[in-house]
Amino acid sequence: MTNKSKAFDITKALISVLFVSLLAACSGDDGTPGNPGEPGGPPASEINALNIEVSEVVFSSEIATVNYRITNENDEPVVGVPSATYLAAQLLPQGFTNAGDASQWQYFTSESCSSSCDGDFVDHKNGQYSYTFSGAFNGMNNIAFMPGATQRIVIKVGGDTLPDGTALPVTNQHFDWQDNGGEPAYTRNLIEMQTCNTCHNDLAFHGSKYNEVETCVTCHNADKVSNPDNVFAPMVHSKHLTGFPVSLADCQTCHVADETLTENMNWARVPTMQACGSCHTNIDFPSGQGHPAQVDNSNCVACHNPDWTMSAHSQADTDAVLAQFNAEVVSAELNGDAVNFEIRLSNPATNEVYSDSADKLDFINDLRVYANFGISVDYTTRSAKSIKLQDIEPISGSNGTYQYQIAGLTLSDDPTTDKGTLALQGRLCSNGAMLANCDDTETTTTIDSSYQFFSATEVTDQGRRMVVSNETCGSCHGDQQLNYHGSRNDLEQQCQLCHNPNMQADASAINPAASTADYKHLAHTLHAGSRESYPDINYPGNIGNCAQCHTTDEAGILTAALPLSAAVQPMAFNDGSFTSATSAICSACHLSDSAKAHMTQQGGVFNGSEVDATAGTESCATCHGQGAAVDVLKVHPIQ
């Protein structure tokens, strides 16, 4: 073979190799090379959320390397993340330190990467990243690494920007592993973050860097914090001792039963002095104050077994009592300025109707019916008329259905087309899980208040708009668990019968909305902590997240949207002046002179005549209405 032929063959071979290499390089969707088995794909161009997926932890020479992928909400790779924080901890099993002790995390280290790294950071330029810790976990923070124990790595990214200026939202992700990166045989997860966020929205700490329970417990343990009060369980319990919106006895407000949690019902299964004592602050276990002396947790479960603990913190008796009684309005009609109505009392547990009227049922402690009229104007009077059924005989009736009358209603201008509302509230006498004769017990159970709309001739399902619901309020307060004025707990319709626009604001107040008991202003200012009579209220969520309390209408639109319902009335003042409806609501939070000037320029009326305040001059919805440039549903942090 000639030298020329050899050269040709070599050139041909090189071209073939180059061609194969080019083909390999084009194996990704966009031609971006990826790691073996990990094609690159087009990088994310828009990022509203970050997702971190840990693929493995490689444990070599006792040093851990974590490999992970970061994507956006559309599963597109996020390339060029500039910084990250890495936490590492180890789990001691239940009973490991001493009989009766709960499982607990041991903190190893926190390492970070930005302009420099504690360990070894690799950006693979395709959404894949690797981090190798600076050294072996064994001995870090004076903690001995335990082969076979569950280990945890937490990765925190976000709060900064990509090189092109794209903002990165903060994201935490934990990964539990065992031995050489394998699936752990056990771990400790008691609470879902979404449970916390039913009240707190996007709960985050330490400069909003950490927003997962799994991250919090990785550091807030006895091997990291110097103050025992800052260990996670006692710290969280003690922080909820004041201002908690439901009964502290209801552990499952936070410890929601969830079989997907590895330590579901841990609060009942593993009682400890540390956890229980952080709520039962009147007890000193070692000294025997308020409880037989206990030197450790070894004997707790002997008395406080799961069944006992659940029973002591349970609403089961209350639920059982409530299940034995139901009161409902079955008919209603106007009779002059009175409403005639029929009430049926029944036992849903047995599907039986109580044959006697309320005044003859010995287990009824209190049963009242309230009435107000004029749904078109958010009611005609500030005080609803009422009667106590246990104190009066019905007008007529038999076999469980009895007739009553509430007289003296103030009717609206056209009662034939308008509607009213009847609301029921009350308390039942009980002994344990059973109804009982009120002469034999002092224990009472508050019923779930209810309501019924009525027209001039009949009961109706259509009535006053629903702006908040018992369900939305219940996300923090528990479903109808918040009782006012004795036994009123229907927050979606009952409260408004009295707390309506007929309530007056103080004309001299800096924030008039905080001086009136009109329901919409009362609710807003209570949660904003701006009412002088309630200085200790600390709303746990983002006050601008209207969806926390507001419900949606039949069209699926949040009821905080503009324009307001025509039934919404202006704010009335004790000097006879009025502020137009939309301006009154918005200025409860937007108090500045410039904000009020803006509202006035758009037709808002502050402390004017009733004629001016109801003239319809407000043009707020033009810019702030649904779909407009600055729609209130867009400019508020609604989730």
Side-chain angles (χ1 to χ4, degrees):
M1 181 180 294
T2 64
N3 290 337
K4 184 176 181 180
S5 297
K6 291 180 180 179
F8 176 80
D9 288 343
I10 292 171
T11 301
K12 182 178 179 181
L14 289 172
I15 291 173
S16 297
V17 170
L18 178 61
F19 182 69
V20 171
S21 298
L22 288 172
L23 285 177
C26 293
S27 62
D29 293 339
D30 65 340
T32 303
N35 289 338
E38 298 289 353
S45 58
E46 182 177 350
I47 302 172
N48 297 308
L50 288 179
N51 300 308
I52 305 173
E53 181 181 359
V54 176
S55 57
E56 62 178 350
V57 174
V58 178
F59 209 53
S60 178
S61 300
E62 298 186 344
I63 298 177
T65 296
V66 55
N67 296 315
Y68 59 99
R69 180 173 182 250
I70 302 180
T71 57
N72 70 351
E73 64 275 11
N74 297 318
D75 199 37
E76 298 169 332
V78 176
V79 179
V81 174
S83 68
T85 298
Y86 305 88
L87 308 175
Q90 168 176 268
L91 183 63
L92 295 181
Q94 178 183 331
F96 182 87
T97 51
N98 193 67
D101 285 356
S103 57
Q104 55 186 289
W105 291 101
Q106 290 186 301
Y107 170 85
F108 278 128
T109 187
S110 172
E111 300 189 354
S112 60
C113 269
S114 52
S115 56
S116 61
C117 289
D118 295 318
D120 184 18
F121 172 75
V122 179
D123 179 353
H124 298 286
K125 307 300 182 184
N126 59 357
Q128 301 285 338
Y129 299 85
S130 300
Y131 182 75
T132 302
F133 282 84
S134 61
F137 292 149
N138 189 39
M140 283 187 175
N141 195 35
N142 296 317
I143 302 298
F145 181 83
M146 297 174 55
T150 296
Q151 311 294 326
R152 170 170 288 177
I153 288 176
V154 176
I155 303 172
K156 173 266 168 186
V157 297
D160 47 17
T161 63
L162 295 178
D164 65 1
T166 301
L168 297 176
V170 172
T171 302
N172 301 172
Q173 181 60 56
H174 75 284
F175 182 76
D176 294 347
W177 55 284
Q178 192 171 353
D179 295 327
N180 194 25
E183 184 80 13
Y186 65 94
T187 191
R188 178 180 170 86
N189 288 325
L190 285 74
I191 297 175
E192 288 279 6
M193 196 67 193
Q194 66 188 30
T195 302
C196 303
N197 281 333
T198 58
C199 281
H200 293 286
N201 301 146
D202 287 330
L203 189 61
F205 295 99
H206 303 294
S208 298
K209 294 186 294 184
Y210 302 124
N211 54 17
E212 293 291 340
V213 172
E214 294 83 4
T215 305
C216 300
V217 298
T218 302
C219 288
H220 282 273
N221 53 66
D223 294 299
K224 168 64 173 173
V225 298
S226 57
N227 185 348
D229 292 339
N230 288 332
V231 173
F232 188 75
M235 177 183 72
V236 171
H237 289 171
S238 62
K239 286 183 179 296
H240 287 83
L241 288 179
T242 57
F244 195 54
V246 294
S247 169
L248 284 169
D250 186 4
C251 301
Q252 290 190 266
T253 298
C254 299
H255 293 277
V256 174
D258 183 352
E259 292 184 358
T260 66
L261 294 171
T262 56
E263 297 221 10
N264 178 40
M265 304 302 289
N266 172 279
W267 66 271
R269 291 187 297 101
V270 191
T272 66
M273 294 186 293
Q274 294 77 17
C276 299
S278 56
C279 280
H280 297 278
T281 55
N282 60 326
I283 294 176
D284 185 327
F285 290 99
S287 69
Q289 178 181 336
H291 188 281
Q294 304 290 316
V295 296
D296 56 35
N297 295 313
S298 59
N299 199 41
C300 296
V301 75
C303 294
H304 304 290
N305 60 67
D307 290 341
W308 184 94
T309 304
M310 285 188 284
S311 175
H313 295 83
S314 173
Q315 299 293 314
D317 284 354
T318 298
D319 294 341
V321 169
L322 295 180
Q324 299 165 52
F325 182 80
N326 184 54
E328 58 182 327
V329 176
V330 295
S331 71
E333 62 179 0
L334 285 179
N335 180 12
D337 67 352
V339 55
N340 295 339
F341 59 95
E342 289 184 310
I343 292 281
R344 179 187 293 131
L345 306 181
S346 62
N347 184 338
T350 61
N351 293 319
E352 295 175 335
V353 174
Y354 290 111
S355 58
D356 287 332
S357 55
D359 56 305
K360 293 181 172 62
L361 293 173
D362 60 16
F363 57 80
I364 292 181
N365 172 273
D366 186 15
L367 187 60
R368 308 184 190 202
V369 183
Y370 290 77
N372 208 340
F373 199 79
I375 285 173
S376 64
V377 292
D378 272 352
Y379 300 114
T380 55
T381 60
R382 60 168 287 173
S383 296
K385 300 292 184 179
S386 68
I387 57 174
K388 298 180 182 180
L389 302 191
Q390 78 275 13
D391 290 346
I392 62 174
E393 292 185 5
I395 296 172
S396 61
S398 62
N399 298 324
T401 301
Y402 293 90
Q403 290 79 41
Y404 299 88
Q405 182 184 84
I406 296 178
L409 299 182
T410 300
L411 303 182
S412 53
D413 293 339
D414 187 5
T416 60
T417 60
D418 212 339
K419 296 182 178 67
T421 305
L422 291 163
L424 291 85
Q425 69 179 63
R427 291 189 298 270
L428 308 173
C429 296
S430 58
N431 186 356
M434 299 300 295
L435 293 171
N437 188 319
C438 291
D439 292 335
D440 300 331
T441 179
E442 296 181 357
T443 302
T444 60
T445 299
T446 301
I447 68 172
D448 290 344
S449 301
S450 60
Y451 61 90
Q452 176 63 62
F453 301 124
F454 66 94
S455 68
T457 58
E458 61 183 353
V459 297
T460 174
D461 292 335
Q462 301 300 314
R464 187 186 186 277
R465 68 195 183 282
M466 186 186 297
V467 179
V468 298
S469 70
N470 288 322
E471 182 180 6
T472 57
C473 297
S475 67
C476 279
H477 294 291
D479 188 16
Q480 295 192 253
Q481 297 298 303
L482 196 62
N483 293 299
Y484 286 108
H485 308 301
S487 55
R488 301 174 195 172
N489 53 46
D490 170 38
L491 303 178
E492 66 185 37
Q493 293 291 354
Q494 180 188 25
C495 301
Q496 295 85 333
L497 264 68
C498 294
H499 292 276
N500 56 50
N502 296 288
M503 297 283 190
Q504 294 182 336
D506 182 355
S508 64
I510 296 175
N511 183 359
S515 68
T516 176
D518 182 3
Y519 191 75
K520 53 186 174 290
H521 302 302
L522 176 69
H524 286 166
T525 54
L526 270 175
H527 289 85
S530 58
R531 298 187 78 88
E532 291 184 6
S533 301
Y534 298 89
D536 297 328
I537 290 181
N538 182 18
Y539 186 60
N542 186 330
I543 196 65
N545 180 19
C546 308
Q548 184 79 7
C549 302
H550 280 263
T551 188
T552 55
D553 61 20
E554 293 180 353
I557 304 298
L558 194 69
T559 54
L562 292 181
L564 297 176
S565 165
V568 179
Q569 301 299 302
M571 181 190 294
F573 288 85
N574 56 6
D575 65 353
S577 65
F578 294 83
T579 292
S580 50
T582 305
S583 297
I585 290 174
C586 296
S587 62
C589 291
H590 301 283
L591 287 167
S592 67
D593 291 340
S594 60
K596 291 183 178 180
H598 170 75
M599 297 177 208
T600 303
Q601 290 169 358
Q602 307 309 316
V605 175
F606 287 90
N607 298 96
S609 68
E610 185 174 12
V611 171
D612 289 341
T614 57
T617 56
E618 290 181 318
S619 60
C620 310
T622 303
C623 294
H624 298 293
Q626 299 166 45
V630 279
D631 183 346
V632 295
L633 301 185
K634 295 179 181 177
V635 297
H636 286 83
I638 294 173
Q639 298 175 349

